[in-house]
Amino acid sequence: MTESLLTVQDLEISAGQRHLVHPTSFTIAAGERVGLIGESGSGKSLTSAAVMGLLPGELSARGQVKLSGTEGNLLTWSERRMARLRGRDLSMVFQEPMSALNPLMRVGEQVAEVMRIHRTANPAQAKARAVELLERVRLPDPRAAARAYPHQLSGGQRQRVMLAIAMANSPRLLICDEPTTALDVTVQAQVLDLIREAVVADGTGLLFITHDLAVVASVCERVMVMYRGRIVESGSCEQIFTDPQHEYTRGLLAASDLTATDDRGRLFTIASAARYRSHASGDGAMTDAEADAGSASRAAPVDLATGEPLIEVSELVKTYSRTRTSLFGRADRVEALRGISLSIPAGRRFGIVGESGSGKSTLLKILSGLEPPTTGSVQVGGVHVESATSAQLRSMREDLQIVFQDPFASLDPRMKVADIIAEPLVPMRVPERKRRERVAETLAAVGLEPESAHRFPHQFSGGQRQRISIARALVCRPRILVADEPVSALDVSVRAQVLNLLTDLVDEYQLTLVFVSHDLGVVRHLCSDVAVMKSGEIVETGDVESIYTNPQHPYTASLVAATPSLEDAFAAS
Amino acid sequence: MARYVIGRVLQFVLTAALASVVVFVLMQVLPGNAAQVALGTSATPEAVAALEAEYGLDRPRIVQYLSWIGGVLTGDFGTSYVTKAPISPVIFNSIQVTLIVVLASMALALAVAVPLGTAAAVLHNRPTGVIISGASQIGIAIPNFLAAIILVMVFSLGLGWFPSSGWQAPIEGFGGFLERLVLPVTALALVQAAILTRYVRSAVLEVMREDFLRTARAKGLPAGRALVRHGLRNAAIPVVTVAGVQLATLLIGAVVIEQVFVLPGMGTELVRAVSNRDLVTVQGIVMVLVVLVLLLNLIVDLLYSVLDPRVRRAA
């Protein structure tokens, strides 16, 4: 290994008496690309913040952080002295591109500023360099982008701007904290390529923080796994993927692999990881054929023959009129849906895949009667949603229940879990005693303790809250369960558990599942059929395996290609 | 941007027109008419009718309104039935006094509140921050007439630094003008400063949690400079909203303060006109106050678009 660029020794981060990161040591060599992987709360973001000297005031760090070419321990430096390093030697790209830029300042100025602060360019040069940098991160029209305000750019474009700022002074170390988590898959693939190219071209060292194993493999050479405030394992990508030593790493790997299932056709979880055999390990790995066989048996719909359409959508159009502003083209009328037709037979697991803005959320809102369509018709279980009376809508909603994306925002923090779950039963006039029975029954079904009923949502983790949401949806025994990105806010290890739960419940309650996701991998595992949406249209629909293995539409093909998968990661390493 | 400005100005004109109708109608429905008031209760109906004809009060209401509003638009507020003098000079003289007092106290309040509020936010978990917050809480609780009386007792009657009342126009002597301005402006500004300090504090606290401030620090700005360069303009947006609303209440607060300090402002004139049952003057002053408040709202809205690019194309 060449000379080390960053040396972290016994770094310890604590909030008062509570230790968030236990003594942790690692080094990054000049130009080396290192991934730091772990789930939320594992301390990976705090570790990077400590290196940058950007820890929130109420946290304190001890230990040593050394950067080659500088004297002493960065942790003891003053804010003023650290500021001179930040943006010049150390720079950072953050997770949330929507809020990371100053909304009141033109993009070009924000890029130029980082050069002016460090006097690496005079004001006129900085302005010209800013446009060059925006071109380097491949913004469509760099000159126009420099004059734009952040709100005129999309999330992916803003993240490119952040990268332009971070790379402006050719730093020696770039820290990326979940830089693509908030982005669409195809955009994620482009941004990841850009990051890799940029650091390779400039010889910049990279510390790449993510929860996604497949992503880390596509960018990094070496991986460190962080678990509960400790780095539990570290090694080359190949080593980690083929021969993980720590129990947690093995669990994470197993849970990430959406193509591998156990003998019951369920995903591996941390608990069942021992039986998981990695693709790359070679010793009798489960082949794709085996995996497919598994998924085929799973996906067998309850009753294909009599599966008459439970949901029938025809020529659905939804147009919003509003003054929307975007840098590249202004639209006063937004066509969210432009003529969608689909029919979902009872008992199928129907996936709807699309990126943000594809109209999938609008489709869900119309399906569930939360919004009227502009034209077209929707039939759910025999009820014409677009012309239904409120009584009909109410009975339709007993049949169709929704699980929402954000387990933190979709539960009323002031209501007890029992009341949250029982709420759909209130308009159905179910008597109090019966309601309590049903709540207890449903809690058991989603794998929560009976005592949970008396607690409040904030006392639960993200995965547990999503179980509460599922319980609320199931309590009125619907025939259709609509899930809107139910696992996209969850950690990988929790994701596997929730997906398994959904699979179990769909079998047990004989549900028709409508599952909306941006993640083709998840849909492939869970669903029998899929519709791919783009710009308000369904570009392709059919059974999930044939679409995944043999996409007909170029957009579907690009979506499949862009979805980071562990198989590709293995192939690359 | 141009579309936004034109839209807001049009909205102002429409609201002002509507307000003028409301003001006019209100004065019409008040009991007692001007001719009756001028002649007293013993006047014969014939005499009242003759005077009404002379004042033009026998014309249809719509004609009366149009002739009044036409005059207002050309700067002529008509003639008082009580003093027989034209109203416009009264309004033009008093409006100057009121505007000077109100704007000076708002400027003083902001000059105090912005640094204090920012300091209270930055030092929110230190003693200084807590003391500033506590002091501003007390400041809010003091009504401005009470502040005025205390100020007069201490600085005028006690220390003899400033005169306790009166007014001098700037052209009659700038020193005397300033001397007489200090106490009323301070009395009005004190409460405003206390309220604004709290808003500035919470706005800055909010901004300090923003991701883009962390970005600014990651770019190499020390925390303090990051807050000044990127934070304060963002924090200004909610503060401008509150300051706009406060300006309107300041105009009303000035009515009381003008009484305490015997200033010849609009408040004093309004009180005099009301007690004289001088309806035409009341109507003129109320109209001017309404337009002033609307104008302040317009300025605040235009300030938004200067501060925040996201507002420019919306609305």
Side-chain angles (χ1 to χ4, degrees):
Chain A
M1 194 181 282
T2 50
E3 186 216 356
S4 71
L5 170 70
L6 181 79
T7 310
V8 173
Q9 237 165 39
D10 300 325
L11 175 67
E12 209 179 337
I13 301 171
S14 46
Q17 293 300 307
R18 244 177 74 232
H19 290 274
L20 302 171
V21 173
H22 301 285
T24 290
S25 305
F26 62 92
T27 61
I28 296 176
E32 192 187 17
R33 305 192 303 278
V34 181
L36 181 57
I37 198 158
E39 54 195 46
S40 45
S42 62
K44 55 196 198 305
S45 291
L46 290 179
T47 304
S48 69
V51 171
M52 289 290 286
L54 290 176
L55 271 185
E58 59 273 18
L59 302 185
S60 60
R62 276 182 302 166
Q64 289 202 321
V65 175
K66 287 179 173 167
L67 184 72
S68 74
T70 62
E71 290 297 314
N73 181 359
L74 300 195
L75 291 181
T76 63
W77 284 24
S78 68
E79 167 75 8
R80 195 152 284 278
R81 207 168 156 209
M82 270 313 282
R84 281 200 288 272
L85 278 188
R86 291 195 294 253
R88 197 189 62 193
D89 295 278
L90 306 172
S91 59
M92 188 153 178
V93 174
F94 300 95
Q95 172 170 8
E96 201 32 80
M98 300 315 263
S99 56
L101 293 167
N102 185 344
L104 308 185
M105 207 188 230
R106 287 178 201 278
V107 162
E109 275 173 66
Q110 300 198 46
V111 180
E113 187 188 27
V114 71
M115 291 174 271
R116 281 211 298 275
I117 293 169
H118 298 286
R119 297 186 213 294
T120 48
N122 68 37
Q125 287 169 340
K127 223 176 148 184
R129 275 275 289 150
V131 177
E132 281 171 36
L133 283 160
L134 291 176
E135 189 171 4
R136 188 181 164 192
V137 294
R138 296 196 208 113
L139 277 177
D141 183 351
R143 254 166 235 292
R147 283 192 305 273
Y149 287 97
H151 71 276
Q152 295 167 299
L153 304 179
S154 69
Q157 290 169 335
R158 289 188 214 190
Q159 204 59 307
R160 286 162 197 261
V161 173
M162 284 300 291
L163 185 63
I165 292 172
M167 296 306 289
N169 294 326
S170 306
R172 290 189 287 157
L173 179 66
L174 173 68
I175 300 178
C176 294
D177 187 359
E178 304 261 11
T180 56
T181 308
L183 304 178
D184 279 326
V185 235
T186 50
V187 180
Q188 158 168 295
Q190 294 159 5
V191 171
L192 288 177
D193 283 346
L194 263 179
I195 291 175
R196 190 180 45 234
E197 281 169 33
V199 294
V200 169
D202 288 11
T204 303
L206 175 70
L207 179 59
F208 191 96
I209 296 164
T210 180
H211 66 279
D212 191 332
L213 275 174
V215 164
V216 85
S218 70
V219 178
C220 299
E221 306 159 296
R222 193 155 67 83
V223 186
M224 304 185 290
V225 182
M226 201 155 189
Y227 179 61
R228 295 198 175 164
R230 283 194 175 82
I231 291 183
V232 293
E233 188 162 2
S234 151
S236 71
C237 281
E238 198 188 341
Q239 219 176 327
I240 297 285
F241 286 143
T242 55
D243 188 20
Q245 297 303 308
H246 194 271
E247 194 187 346
Y248 172 74
T249 316
R250 283 203 294 268
L252 191 64
L253 202 60
S256 300
D257 195 342
L258 291 169
T259 58
T261 48
D262 62 16
D263 40 18
R264 280 185 59 240
R266 299 295 182 262
L267 292 170
F268 289 99
T269 60
I270 304 276
S272 66
R275 294 195 306 278
Y276 170 73
R277 288 155 303 165
S278 148
H279 284 264
S281 57
D283 52 345
M286 184 187 267
T287 62
D288 273 6
E290 279 171 313
D292 287 351
S295 88
S297 65
R298 259 184 298 118
V302 237
D303 197 347
L304 249 184
T306 61
E308 60 186 55
L310 192 56
I311 298 176
E312 187 86 77
V313 173
S314 79
E315 292 301 318
L316 199 62
V317 173
K318 178 74 186 178
T319 318
Y320 293 100
S321 47
R322 58 176 174 194
T323 41
R324 207 184 63 155
T325 54
S326 141
L327 179 62
F328 309 106
R330 189 149 36 136
D332 286 339
R333 285 174 77 234
V334 181
E335 296 182 309
L337 296 178
R338 344 175 166 209
I340 299 265
S341 299
L342 55 83
S343 108
I344 303 176
R348 303 294 287 195
R349 301 167 191 169
F350 198 89
I352 297 173
V353 173
E355 305 198 320
S356 47
S358 60
K360 54 192 198 303
S361 301
T362 310
L363 178 59
L364 276 198
K365 279 184 203 154
I366 296 174
L367 269 186
S368 45
L370 296 173
E371 267 196 48
T374 309
T375 62
S377 75
V378 181
Q379 252 191 82
V380 174
V383 175
H384 278 277
V385 176
E386 76 279 1
S387 55
T389 62
S390 60
Q392 283 175 315
L393 268 185
R394 212 177 308 134
S395 81
M396 187 274 275
R397 283 191 189 119
E398 287 166 21
D399 260 351
L400 183 149
Q401 284 288 317
I402 314 177
V403 177
F404 294 99
Q405 172 172 14
D406 191 334
F408 294 91
S410 58
L411 301 176
D412 185 337
R414 285 178 191 81
M415 282 171 80
K416 282 187 181 164
V417 168
D419 298 330
I420 291 174
I421 296 177
E423 210 175 14
L425 299 176
V426 176
M428 292 168 64
R429 308 228 171 90
V430 177
E432 168 81 41
R433 216 172 53 87
K434 187 96 179 146
R435 261 188 266 162
R436 253 179 293 150
E437 277 169 26
R438 293 273 280 275
V439 167
E441 207 176 285
T442 329
L443 271 178
V446 298
L448 288 172
E449 301 290 319
E451 296 85 62
S452 308
H454 309 293
R455 295 199 276 158
F456 289 94
H458 72 264
Q459 293 168 297
F460 295 88
S461 69
Q464 289 172 322
R465 286 184 207 206
Q466 212 54 311
R467 285 172 193 263
I468 297 171
S469 293
I470 294 171
R472 173 179 60 184
L474 289 182
V475 77
C476 52
R477 309 222 174 104
R479 282 192 290 164
I480 306 161
L481 183 67
V482 175
D484 184 6
E485 302 263 14
V487 294
S488 64
L490 303 179
D491 279 318
V492 175
S493 54
V494 182
R495 178 181 76 180
Q497 294 167 13
V498 172
L499 288 176
N500 286 346
L501 174 68
L502 277 175
T503 315
D504 290 341
L505 292 173
V506 164
D507 281 355
E508 201 180 317
Y509 290 79
Q510 308 222 327
L511 294 170
T512 303
L513 180 69
V514 180
F515 187 90
V516 172
S517 177
H518 67 282
D519 190 334
L520 213 47
V522 170
V523 168
R524 184 188 187 188
H525 163 72
L526 191 65
C527 298
S528 52
D529 307 83
V530 64
V532 180
M533 285 188 72
K534 181 180 194 288
S535 322
E537 281 167 356
I538 293 180
V539 297
E540 195 166 356
T541 180
D543 87 277
V544 78
E545 274 313 310
S546 59
I547 290 218
Y548 198 90
T549 49
N550 186 20
Q552 297 302 310
H553 193 278
Y555 177 72
T556 315
S558 74
L559 210 56
V560 172
T563 306
S565 79
L566 276 180
E567 292 156 72
D568 300 342
F570 295 139
S573 65
Chain B
M1 180 82 181
R3 234 176 75 191
Y4 176 76
V5 173
I6 292 167
R8 298 299 308 167
V9 170
L10 275 178
Q11 201 179 332
F12 162 72
V13 171
L14 273 175
T15 322
L18 203 68
S20 74
V21 174
V22 172
V23 168
F24 183 82
V25 169
L26 275 179
M27 292 301 146
Q28 295 296 315
V29 299
L30 281 183
N33 80 44
Q36 187 79 57
V37 170
L39 294 172
T41 42
S42 57
T44 60
E46 291 75 30
V48 172
L51 195 62
E52 273 183 353
E54 190 192 327
Y55 288 164
L57 297 178
D58 55 345
R59 294 173 297 169
R61 293 276 159 88
I62 180 83
V63 176
Q64 289 185 46
Y65 169 76
L66 287 176
S67 89
W68 172 67
I69 199 70
V72 167
L73 286 175
T74 55
D76 176 11
F77 285 86
T79 310
S80 162
Y81 304 141
V82 178
T83 62
K84 313 288 183 218
I87 296 165
S88 301
V90 174
I91 289 183
F92 289 130
N93 289 332
S94 61
I95 198 175
Q96 288 174 24
V97 175
T98 301
L99 275 183
I100 288 172
V101 171
V102 165
L103 292 179
S105 51
M106 183 44 95
L108 179 63
L110 281 172
V112 172
V114 170
L116 271 189
T118 308
V122 174
L123 306 170
H124 65 103
N125 47 12
R126 306 250 186 87
T128 326
V130 177
I131 290 170
I132 296 174
S133 295
S136 67
Q137 195 80 276
I138 295 169
I140 292 172
I142 301 175
N144 53 28
F145 66 87
L146 187 63
I149 293 167
I150 294 171
L151 285 174
V152 168
M153 279 167 58
V154 175
F155 294 101
S156 178
L157 302 179
L159 298 166
W161 292 356
F162 303 104
S164 66
S165 64
W167 176 258
Q168 190 170 24
I171 38 165
E172 297 166 28
F174 201 67
F177 161 73
L178 281 183
E179 217 174 37
R180 286 169 175 77
L181 203 56
V182 171
L183 291 187
V185 164
T186 312
L188 265 182
L190 216 60
V191 184
Q192 293 310 313
I195 295 173
L196 285 174
T197 300
R198 294 196 67 77
Y199 279 101
V200 171
R201 175 180 179 271
S202 68
V204 173
L205 270 180
E206 187 84 8
V207 147
M208 280 166 61
R209 280 192 291 266
E210 290 282 358
D211 283 352
F212 60 80
L213 223 60
R214 185 182 56 182
T215 306
R217 289 180 66 201
K219 284 159 88 173
L221 287 172
R225 277 182 59 207
L227 181 63
V228 173
R229 262 192 68 83
H230 291 270
L232 291 190
R233 198 171 144 195
N234 278 283
I237 296 169
V239 173
V240 163
T241 316
V242 176
V245 176
Q246 291 301 316
L247 264 174
T249 54
L250 265 183
L251 269 176
I252 311 309
V255 173
V256 177
I257 290 296
E258 284 168 10
Q259 294 293 305
V260 176
F261 289 97
V262 201
L263 300 177
M266 302 204 61
T268 306
E269 295 299 342
L270 186 61
V271 172
R272 183 184 306 157
V274 168
S275 49
N276 288 347
R277 311 197 65 180
D278 188 349
L279 287 183
V280 192
T281 308
V282 172
Q283 187 171 304
I285 293 177
V286 170
M287 188 64 219
V288 169
L289 283 175
V290 167
V291 170
L292 271 181
V293 170
L294 291 176
L295 202 61
L296 291 172
N297 281 335
L298 174 68
I299 292 171
V300 166
D301 279 353
L302 294 183
L303 256 181
Y304 273 151
S305 71
V306 173
L307 282 172
D308 191 342
R310 287 164 296 188
V311 180
R312 285 175 207 165
R313 294 216 204 150

